[in-house]
Amino acid sequence: MNTNVMNSFSLTGKTVLITGGAGLYGTQIAIACAQAGGNVYVTSRDKDRLADIEESFEKEGHTVHAIQFDQEDLDSIAAIRNKLEDREGKCDVLINNAVARTMSHYNDPLERFARSMAVNATGLFEITRVIGDWMAERESGSIVNIGSIQGMVGPDHTLYQGLPLNGFIPDYFFHKGGMINFTRFIASYYGSRQVRCNCLSPGGFQTEKNMPEFVERYNERTMLGRMAKSNDIWGPIVFLASDASLYVTGTNIPVDGGYTAK
């Protein structure tokens, strides 16, 4: 038994798979897991980008491996276990971060909604099943789903009034809301085999692209009076991925500065 609480947060010796690990949240998740000592793999649909992705992390002082994976391609999902098995022989942590943003308006063609579900629902289920079954064979593992506060509450139209922004993206609210209860299902299904599943739901992440008017309005709606910084997600991710959360499963943790607590 680990007798030092700080050691329980270490990911040393653990293989971590982060889907969509080269994007906004994925990059921060990969940095956190690498800093915690994890053997980190991130995925990209584009095989030609893998070397560049690894180099970008290396320039920042982090060793991160990149492998090809397309959550819309069922063959690609089936192959991911074999890739990791050949390289590492196991997967200790799966972080479901990949997301396809196929819609931009409520009245977009129905085909865009269907494609979103293919990636964000069917693909999410299959990668979770492929890796979850593998973890269950070893009776150990942590699955972390990256949700959103938009899976917890409806859109606030006052954030966007008078701005060239649109917060009414139906597929995103649909699958992020479903992800939270899917987390509970997976936690129950694999629980007896000591595989945990939790969801982390971030709030708005401040970037240089955010319009000042939007940021001001958003800040007023949080208890901490600000949007998320790039490293605000680090601690919660490491907690859920590591042995520090060995008795935590089926939960959804908002990381939103109190936005959804009002």
Side-chain angles (χ1 to χ4, degrees):
M1 181 179 177
N2 194 335
T3 57
N4 187 307
V5 67
M6 295 308 297
N7 289 343
S8 70
F9 286 89
S10 173
L11 295 177
T12 300
K14 294 186 184 294
T15 299
V16 181
L17 174 63
I18 306 167
T19 65
L24 184 66
Y25 281 122
T27 298
Q28 298 304 321
I29 293 167
I31 289 171
C33 291
Q35 287 185 356
N39 187 20
V40 178
Y41 284 79
V42 299
T43 71
S44 172
R45 297 178 62 180
D46 188 352
K47 199 171 185 178
D48 295 334
R49 290 190 61 216
L50 301 182
D52 290 340
I53 291 170
E54 290 182 353
E55 185 178 347
S56 68
F57 281 106
E58 189 175 350
K59 286 180 178 178
E60 300 298 324
H62 310 293
T63 299
V64 173
H65 312 288
I67 55 177
Q68 194 278 331
F69 169 78
D70 183 354
Q71 196 159 288
E72 192 174 7
D73 181 352
L74 296 182
D75 290 336
S76 177
I77 296 173
I80 198 74
R81 171 175 174 171
N82 293 335
K83 290 180 181 180
L84 278 182
E85 198 154 28
D86 289 343
R87 294 194 186 195
E88 306 295 340
K90 62 173 183 170
C91 181
D92 300 288
V93 181
L94 167 65
I95 300 178
N96 279 318
N97 174 68
V99 61
R101 302 297 292 264
T102 64
M103 299 188 74
S104 57
H105 296 279
Y106 181 75
N107 289 317
D108 277 347
L110 193 57
E111 290 79 7
R112 294 187 184 180
F113 187 91
R115 180 166 179 252
S116 177
M117 294 305 107
V119 179
N120 303 318
T122 303
L124 171 73
F125 170 62
E126 182 62 355
I127 183 61
T128 303
R129 181 165 62 176
V130 167
I131 300 299
D133 284 353
W134 190 16
M135 290 176 170
E137 291 172 10
R138 300 178 60 246
E139 296 193 342
S140 176
S142 175
I143 299 170
V144 184
N145 293 326
I146 304 302
S148 168
I149 60 170
Q150 292 180 328
M152 302 173 61
V153 295
D156 181 354
H157 73 280
T158 64
L159 287 171
Y160 310 97
Q161 281 182 335
L163 301 178
L165 302 173
N166 170 36
F168 292 88
I169 315 299
D171 64 320
Y172 195 76
F173 281 81
F174 188 99
H175 69 74
K176 289 301 185 183
M179 179 181 274
I180 293 173
N181 213 36
F182 178 63
T183 296
R184 300 184 184 109
F185 174 90
I186 292 298
S188 178
Y189 184 82
Y190 287 120
S192 63
R193 286 165 286 180
Q194 303 307 304
V195 176
R196 313 186 314 280
C197 184
N198 294 284
C199 188
L200 193 154
S201 292
F205 190 10
Q206 179 141 21
T207 71
E208 295 178 354
K209 296 180 181 180
N210 294 133
M211 298 186 67
E213 297 92 338
F214 176 82
V215 173
E216 183 178 355
R217 293 174 185 179
Y218 189 96
N219 290 348
E220 291 176 352
R221 286 160 176 76
T222 70
M223 292 181 177
L224 298 182
R226 65 174 178 85
M227 299 185 79
K229 299 176 183 178
S230 62
N231 60 359
D232 281 326
I233 200 171
W234 289 3
I237 278 289
V238 171
F239 169 67
L240 291 178
S242 71
D243 290 350
S245 60
L246 277 178
Y247 201 54
V248 179
T249 196
T251 66
N252 175 50
I253 300 179
V255 183
D256 63 357
Y259 186 104
T260 58
K262 285 191 174 183

